[in-house]
Amino acid sequence: MQWGTYNNHLTNPMTRDSFGYSFPMQYSSGSAAAYNYDQTAFNNKHNITYQCGLPASCPRSLNNTFDMTGLPRAGVNVPSFPPPLYQMGPQQPYEGMDLSQSPNNNLLQLDTEYEDYPRPIPENMTSYSTPYDSSRSSTPNEGSPLLHRDDGVFDKDRPYAQLIFDALKQAPNHTMILRDIYDWFRKNTDKALDKDTKGWQNSIRHNLSMNGAFEKVDQPCEEAKKGFMWRLTKDALANGVKSTTRYRSKQPNKRGHRTSHYPQRQRAGAMGGRSAKKQLQHRARMHDAYRSDPYQAPSRSMPTPATFDSTFNSNMSMYSGSPSYYSPSGSDIDAMEYQPEAYGTAPEQRMSQQIFHGLPSAPMSSPLASYSDGYIQLPSDPAVPLFTSSPADTPSPSVSEPRTPDSQSLGWEDSIYGPMGGTGHVGFDLSGFSIAGTSDIPHAHFSHDPLGNGE
DNA sequence: CTATGTAAACAAC
DNA sequence: GTTGTTTACATAG
């Protein structure tokens, strides 16, 4: 695990206390208030999304509440600004820790969840507040305690995913637009030194798309050209960014098996454009339910036996009583990537999930049929259980089973989990959803309106 | 084999 | 042209 060699203390522009928590230097590190902070006030529903801003507001606009670092300006009272505890850095498995040898790594981090992520946005914070001004007439890092170039803070040899993680981590709400990420790279890395090639930008986009640590924010910016905002997932914030490869095809490289020069596959990018459109259309409803998950691509095959893996972490929080891995490549990192255990669950429950995480599971079957457009077909008979334990020869669920790796915006506190360690019961978290149509419509449509704006 | 970087096709805007 | 998705391929280890 290459990243295990990185010293996060150096790369993280936070101070780190003896507990491994990181606080922005601007705050008092190690204060009793920080450790004993009552988080209940911040355990509210997190209907705050990263709005592109109030009308006529777009990401790059700064506001008077926060400075360019995203921290409150001096003298500005921001009552709802997250407490220092919110600024804890992730318990990243650095310092030589080998993730592949620690499938229960999260067990060591039971207390590191972020109960309210995304963090609240102050009322008077009108928009995404970029630390980078588009004019770039000056160096936005000047005077900032958070950003220091040329002092070794940013390791220039780290992979893109890590660098993007750093960029987003220190951005307000851990959210940036692509161009700001570009700017961050220009300022803080050497990836962009070669101005003749745009490959580094391509790589950034590739990582944003392919790495589950990054997610698009629901609302596209009003200036369409700026695209969406990208945000760290709460999982990434808690556990750090992981391999982008995790999200790549597990299909063996068929190189050399071709009989023609033309690729025997779906055209590269064909899914991209169309799915992007689909996502635009269904974003509010499905909330990117199937973003960046190659396992559910119709062109891919589901491994057998038909086990639901723990990465099936949909907005419905389909949760097997004994989650199993889909890890065709045998990677433990894969298996732990999207463990839902840390989100909104009590420590003891998470402990249970941890305990059961590694146990073998019975194959699950489901009458659910789903469609690549985000629709899901429910059994017409409500008596039909949605999931049951099944013999291995039971047909597997569709490979296009909708799932929600992007999970930040709703309901993850309210997940209704099935009995842990049971025999295949599952819980659905349908909070935030409504079903358009009637119960006897097989082709039910899950809609989602996190902002309550109507659709 | 995995992790990573890069190129590129492609769609939408 | 930009943004986003996806696949392919090369390379290091």
Side-chain angles (χ1 to χ4, degrees):
Chain A
M1 190 69 182
Q2 186 180 347
W3 295 354
T5 63
Y6 298 124
N7 186 333
N8 193 44
H9 182 69
L10 292 177
T11 60
N12 187 340
M14 306 267 201
T15 58
R16 171 166 288 197
D17 68 67
S18 58
F19 292 157
Y21 297 147
S22 298
F23 302 90
M25 300 163 81
Q26 188 158 326
Y27 295 110
S28 58
S29 176
S31 69
Y35 292 122
N36 300 323
Y37 187 83
D38 182 0
Q39 290 197 33
T40 55
F42 290 87
N43 288 345
N44 300 327
K45 281 299 203 181
H46 44 277
N47 270 341
I48 301 99
T49 60
Y50 296 84
Q51 302 187 32
C52 200
L54 296 175
S57 177
C58 243
R60 284 168 172 257
S61 60
L62 296 172
N63 58 57
N64 292 325
T65 304
F66 297 90
D67 64 17
M68 284 175 150
T69 71
L71 295 171
R73 294 184 185 280
V76 174
N77 182 25
V78 187
S80 59
F81 194 81
L85 205 56
Y86 257 82
Q87 295 276 347
M88 288 191 306
Q91 297 295 294
Q92 297 182 51
Y94 294 153
E95 320 299 343
M97 178 182 293
D98 184 356
L99 281 176
S100 65
Q101 302 302 314
S102 180
N104 280 333
N105 176 56
N106 287 332
L107 189 59
L108 306 174
Q109 303 172 14
L110 289 177
D111 298 326
T112 64
E113 80 275 14
Y114 295 78
E115 290 291 343
D116 192 355
Y117 181 83
R119 67 194 203 191
I121 298 175
E123 290 182 1
N124 56 349
M125 181 179 180
T126 58
S127 71
Y128 162 86
S129 176
T130 177
Y132 301 105
D133 180 56
S134 58
S135 66
R136 290 209 296 279
S137 56
S138 63
T139 303
N141 301 349
E142 283 176 357
S144 166
L146 294 179
L147 299 172
H148 288 292
R149 297 195 59 181
D150 306 324
D151 64 356
V153 165
F154 299 108
D155 185 336
K156 297 186 184 308
D157 293 327
R158 285 181 301 147
Y160 280 97
Q162 266 285 313
L163 293 168
I164 296 169
F165 177 88
D166 282 350
L168 290 175
K169 187 167 64 177
Q170 59 193 42
N173 299 304
H174 312 297
T175 302
M176 297 174 78
I177 63 173
L178 179 63
R179 264 184 264 179
D180 286 341
I181 297 174
Y182 289 163
D183 287 347
W184 189 93
F185 268 72
R186 291 189 183 96
K187 290 174 169 60
N188 298 297
T189 78
D190 59 355
K191 306 286 189 188
L193 288 184
D194 185 359
K195 295 179 172 54
D196 295 331
T197 177
K198 299 289 186 182
W200 62 278
Q201 295 177 340
N202 196 0
S203 293
I204 289 171
R205 295 196 305 273
H206 167 83
N207 277 269
L208 285 171
S209 285
M210 299 302 290
N211 194 303
F214 315 123
E215 62 190 356
K216 288 187 302 185
V217 178
D218 258 4
Q219 297 160 286
C221 179
E222 292 169 7
E223 294 182 30
K225 287 242 172 169
K226 290 185 176 178
F228 291 88
M229 289 183 282
W230 290 92
R231 179 178 60 200
L232 280 181
T233 64
K234 61 185 180 301
D235 180 79
L237 194 59
N239 300 314
V241 64
K242 287 152 192 158
S243 166
T244 299
T245 308
R246 154 70 176 86
Y247 301 92
R248 295 187 177 189
S249 170
K250 292 295 195 297
Q251 292 280 355
N253 195 331
K254 297 294 195 304
R255 200 185 315 170
H257 287 218
R258 291 190 201 165
T259 55
S260 82
H261 183 66
Y262 291 98
Q264 297 177 346
R265 61 173 172 87
Q266 192 173 30
R267 297 193 314 278
M271 277 293 293
R274 292 200 193 97
S275 67
K277 183 178 182 180
K278 294 279 187 186
Q279 286 179 9
L280 279 171
Q281 294 169 344
H282 290 281
R283 187 175 312 279
R285 302 185 189 105
M286 293 301 296
H287 207 74
D288 284 350
Y290 33 88
R291 167 183 168 267
S292 296
D293 194 331
Y295 300 148
Q296 50 106 46
S299 61
R300 301 242 172 80
S301 60
M302 196 73 168
T304 55
T307 53
F308 282 109
D309 72 303
S310 61
T311 69
F312 189 160
N313 179 23
S314 73
N315 264 350
M316 297 186 294
S317 293
M318 199 216 77
Y319 207 85
S320 165
S322 48
S324 60
Y325 302 155
Y326 166 34
S327 185
S329 58
S331 166
D332 288 333
I333 297 175
D334 289 356
M336 58 185 286
E337 176 70 36
Y338 262 141
Q339 284 186 77
E341 78 286 346
Y343 303 150
T345 48
E348 59 272 17
Q349 188 174 14
R350 277 183 273 115
M351 179 70 79
S352 297
Q353 291 161 8
Q354 290 287 349
I355 290 171
F356 288 106
H357 186 66
L359 296 180
S361 66
M364 303 285 290
S365 68
S366 169
L368 291 180
S370 60
Y371 303 89
S372 60
D373 63 355
Y375 286 83
I376 188 169
Q377 180 172 343
L378 297 173
S380 55
D381 182 359
V384 174
L386 292 181
F387 294 92
T388 56
S389 294
S390 65
D393 59 354
T394 304
S396 65
S398 165
V399 295
S400 58
E401 200 80 49
R403 61 187 69 174
T404 308
D406 121 323
S407 50
Q408 77 292 349
S409 74
L410 74 156
W412 46 270
E413 290 168 334
D414 300 330
S415 298
I416 304 166
Y417 296 113
M420 299 309 303
T423 55
H425 292 92
V426 298
F428 273 96
D429 173 15
L430 295 178
S431 61
F433 287 93
S434 62
I435 298 178
T438 58
S439 60
D440 59 352
I441 295 178
H443 200 161
H445 171 216
F446 290 83
S447 66
H448 169 223
D449 182 18
L451 291 179
N453 292 334
E455 291 189 311

PDB file of all heavy atoms in Angstrom, chain A residues 116-130:
ATOM      1  N   ASP A 116     -22.351  14.427  11.607  1.00  0.00           N
ATOM      2  CA  ASP A 116     -23.105  15.366  10.798  1.00  0.00           C
ATOM      3  C   ASP A 116     -22.247  15.834   9.656  1.00  0.00           C
ATOM      4  O   ASP A 116     -21.630  16.873   9.696  1.00  0.00           O
ATOM      5  CB  ASP A 116     -23.551  16.551  11.632  1.00  0.00           C
ATOM      6  CG  ASP A 116     -24.570  17.376  10.875  1.00  0.00           C
ATOM      7  OD1 ASP A 116     -24.833  17.060   9.707  1.00  0.00           O
ATOM      8  OD2 ASP A 116     -25.078  18.317  11.448  1.00  0.00           O
ATOM      9  N   TYR A 117     -22.208  14.993   8.706  1.00  0.00           N
ATOM     10  CA  TYR A 117     -21.512  15.388   7.505  1.00  0.00           C
ATOM     11  C   TYR A 117     -22.475  15.265   6.355  1.00  0.00           C
ATOM     12  O   TYR A 117     -23.141  14.279   6.245  1.00  0.00           O
ATOM     13  CB  TYR A 117     -20.292  14.500   7.264  1.00  0.00           C
ATOM     14  CG  TYR A 117     -19.549  14.899   6.039  1.00  0.00           C
ATOM     15  CD1 TYR A 117     -18.635  15.935   6.105  1.00  0.00           C
ATOM     16  CD2 TYR A 117     -19.801  14.291   4.829  1.00  0.00           C
ATOM     17  CE1 TYR A 117     -17.957  16.329   4.987  1.00  0.00           C
ATOM     18  CE2 TYR A 117     -19.120  14.689   3.696  1.00  0.00           C
ATOM     19  CZ  TYR A 117     -18.204  15.708   3.781  1.00  0.00           C
ATOM     20  OH  TYR A 117     -17.542  16.119   2.665  1.00  0.00           O
ATOM     21  N   PRO A 118     -22.623  16.176   5.522  1.00  0.00           N
ATOM     22  CA  PRO A 118     -21.835  17.387   5.442  1.00  0.00           C
ATOM     23  C   PRO A 118     -22.115  18.337   6.583  1.00  0.00           C
ATOM     24  O   PRO A 118     -23.184  18.333   7.142  1.00  0.00           O
ATOM     25  CB  PRO A 118     -22.272  18.006   4.122  1.00  0.00           C
ATOM     26  CG  PRO A 118     -23.636  17.481   3.905  1.00  0.00           C
ATOM     27  CD  PRO A 118     -23.621  16.086   4.480  1.00  0.00           C
ATOM     28  N   ARG A 119     -21.153  19.068   6.869  1.00  0.00           N
ATOM     29  CA  ARG A 119     -21.286  19.942   8.003  1.00  0.00           C
ATOM     30  C   ARG A 119     -22.213  21.090   7.666  1.00  0.00           C
ATOM     31  O   ARG A 119     -22.414  21.430   6.506  1.00  0.00           O
ATOM     32  CB  ARG A 119     -19.920  20.454   8.417  1.00  0.00           C
ATOM     33  CG  ARG A 119     -19.293  21.360   7.391  1.00  0.00           C
ATOM     34  CD  ARG A 119     -17.826  21.544   7.699  1.00  0.00           C
ATOM     35  NE  ARG A 119     -17.352  22.784   7.105  1.00  0.00           N
ATOM     36  CZ  ARG A 119     -16.074  23.103   7.036  1.00  0.00           C
ATOM     37  NH1 ARG A 119     -15.166  22.290   7.505  1.00  0.00           N
ATOM     38  NH2 ARG A 119     -15.701  24.238   6.497  1.00  0.00           N
ATOM     39  N   PRO A 120     -22.742  21.678   8.705  1.00  0.00           N
ATOM     40  CA  PRO A 120     -23.729  22.732   8.448  1.00  0.00           C
ATOM     41  C   PRO A 120     -23.116  23.925   7.747  1.00  0.00           C
ATOM     42  O   PRO A 120     -21.937  24.232   7.912  1.00  0.00           O
ATOM     43  CB  PRO A 120     -24.197  23.116   9.852  1.00  0.00           C
ATOM     44  CG  PRO A 120     -23.736  22.026  10.748  1.00  0.00           C
ATOM     45  CD  PRO A 120     -22.511  21.447  10.105  1.00  0.00           C
ATOM     46  N   ILE A 121     -23.934  24.525   7.002  1.00  0.00           N
ATOM     47  CA  ILE A 121     -23.530  25.759   6.348  1.00  0.00           C
ATOM     48  C   ILE A 121     -24.197  26.910   7.084  1.00  0.00           C
ATOM     49  O   ILE A 121     -25.393  26.915   7.273  1.00  0.00           O
ATOM     50  CB  ILE A 121     -23.951  25.780   4.876  1.00  0.00           C
ATOM     51  CG1 ILE A 121     -23.263  24.633   4.141  1.00  0.00           C
ATOM     52  CG2 ILE A 121     -23.633  27.112   4.236  1.00  0.00           C
ATOM     53  CD1 ILE A 121     -23.705  24.511   2.707  1.00  0.00           C
ATOM     54  N   PRO A 122     -23.420  27.829   7.506  1.00  0.00           N
ATOM     55  CA  PRO A 122     -24.031  28.975   8.175  1.00  0.00           C
ATOM     56  C   PRO A 122     -25.040  29.649   7.269  1.00  0.00           C
ATOM     57  O   PRO A 122     -24.890  29.677   6.056  1.00  0.00           O
ATOM     58  CB  PRO A 122     -22.829  29.889   8.461  1.00  0.00           C
ATOM     59  CG  PRO A 122     -21.645  28.979   8.440  1.00  0.00           C
ATOM     60  CD  PRO A 122     -21.975  27.912   7.449  1.00  0.00           C
ATOM     61  N   GLU A 123     -26.019  30.191   7.925  1.00  0.00           N
ATOM     62  CA  GLU A 123     -27.098  30.768   7.134  1.00  0.00           C
ATOM     63  C   GLU A 123     -26.601  31.864   6.218  1.00  0.00           C
ATOM     64  O   GLU A 123     -27.100  32.050   5.120  1.00  0.00           O
ATOM     65  CB  GLU A 123     -28.165  31.322   8.068  1.00  0.00           C
ATOM     66  CG  GLU A 123     -28.937  30.214   8.787  1.00  0.00           C
ATOM     67  CD  GLU A 123     -30.006  30.801   9.655  1.00  0.00           C
ATOM     68  OE1 GLU A 123     -30.130  32.045   9.668  1.00  0.00           O
ATOM     69  OE2 GLU A 123     -30.720  30.029  10.319  1.00  0.00           O
ATOM     70  N   ASN A 124     -25.660  32.589   6.722  1.00  0.00           N
ATOM     71  CA  ASN A 124     -25.211  33.702   5.898  1.00  0.00           C
ATOM     72  C   ASN A 124     -24.082  33.304   4.972  1.00  0.00           C
ATOM     73  O   ASN A 124     -23.470  34.130   4.333  1.00  0.00           O
ATOM     74  CB  ASN A 124     -24.770  34.864   6.789  1.00  0.00           C
ATOM     75  CG  ASN A 124     -23.689  34.419   7.758  1.00  0.00           C
ATOM     76  OD1 ASN A 124     -23.424  33.229   7.887  1.00  0.00           O
ATOM     77  ND2 ASN A 124     -23.085  35.387   8.421  1.00  0.00           N
ATOM     78  N   MET A 125     -23.851  32.043   4.928  1.00  0.00           N
ATOM     79  CA  MET A 125     -22.872  31.590   3.945  1.00  0.00           C
ATOM     80  C   MET A 125     -23.650  31.294   2.682  1.00  0.00           C
ATOM     81  O   MET A 125     -24.362  30.305   2.574  1.00  0.00           O
ATOM     82  CB  MET A 125     -22.157  30.341   4.428  1.00  0.00           C
ATOM     83  CG  MET A 125     -21.113  29.855   3.446  1.00  0.00           C
ATOM     84  SD  MET A 125     -20.269  28.409   4.057  1.00  0.00           S
ATOM     85  CE  MET A 125     -19.152  28.106   2.685  1.00  0.00           C
ATOM     86  N   THR A 126     -23.502  32.154   1.763  1.00  0.00           N
ATOM     87  CA  THR A 126     -24.414  32.105   0.639  1.00  0.00           C
ATOM     88  C   THR A 126     -23.997  31.106  -0.407  1.00  0.00           C
ATOM     89  O   THR A 126     -24.785  30.723  -1.244  1.00  0.00           O
ATOM     90  CB  THR A 126     -24.511  33.485  -0.017  1.00  0.00           C
ATOM     91  OG1 THR A 126     -23.201  33.873  -0.431  1.00  0.00           O
ATOM     92  CG2 THR A 126     -25.036  34.503   0.980  1.00  0.00           C
ATOM     93  N   SER A 127     -22.794  30.691  -0.388  1.00  0.00           N
ATOM     94  CA  SER A 127     -22.411  29.853  -1.508  1.00  0.00           C
ATOM     95  C   SER A 127     -21.129  29.120  -1.190  1.00  0.00           C
ATOM     96  O   SER A 127     -20.465  29.364  -0.195  1.00  0.00           O
ATOM     97  CB  SER A 127     -22.213  30.697  -2.765  1.00  0.00           C
ATOM     98  OG  SER A 127     -21.043  31.472  -2.617  1.00  0.00           O
ATOM     99  N   TYR A 128     -20.890  28.231  -2.035  1.00  0.00           N
ATOM    100  CA  TYR A 128     -19.575  27.613  -2.061  1.00  0.00           C
ATOM    101  C   TYR A 128     -18.544  28.707  -2.070  1.00  0.00           C
ATOM    102  O   TYR A 128     -18.608  29.652  -2.835  1.00  0.00           O
ATOM    103  CB  TYR A 128     -19.485  26.762  -3.322  1.00  0.00           C
ATOM    104  CG  TYR A 128     -18.101  26.378  -3.763  1.00  0.00           C
ATOM    105  CD1 TYR A 128     -17.482  25.252  -3.255  1.00  0.00           C
ATOM    106  CD2 TYR A 128     -17.442  27.129  -4.727  1.00  0.00           C
ATOM    107  CE1 TYR A 128     -16.239  24.883  -3.687  1.00  0.00           C
ATOM    108  CE2 TYR A 128     -16.195  26.767  -5.180  1.00  0.00           C
ATOM    109  CZ  TYR A 128     -15.596  25.646  -4.648  1.00  0.00           C
ATOM    110  OH  TYR A 128     -14.364  25.277  -5.100  1.00  0.00           O
ATOM    111  N   SER A 129     -17.640  28.613  -1.202  1.00  0.00           N
ATOM    112  CA  SER A 129     -16.669  29.675  -1.051  1.00  0.00           C
ATOM    113  C   SER A 129     -15.304  29.141  -1.424  1.00  0.00           C
ATOM    114  O   SER A 129     -14.651  28.452  -0.658  1.00  0.00           O
ATOM    115  CB  SER A 129     -16.676  30.166   0.388  1.00  0.00           C
ATOM    116  OG  SER A 129     -15.682  31.135   0.561  1.00  0.00           O
ATOM    117  N   THR A 130     -14.956  29.429  -2.600  1.00  0.00           N
ATOM    118  CA  THR A 130     -13.705  28.883  -3.076  1.00  0.00           C
ATOM    119  C   THR A 130     -12.518  29.587  -2.462  1.00  0.00           C
ATOM    120  O   THR A 130     -12.542  30.796  -2.242  1.00  0.00           O
ATOM    121  CB  THR A 130     -13.618  28.996  -4.598  1.00  0.00           C
ATOM    122  OG1 THR A 130     -12.343  28.508  -5.005  1.00  0.00           O
ATOM    123  CG2 THR A 130     -13.787  30.429  -5.045  1.00  0.00           C
TER     124      THR A 130
END
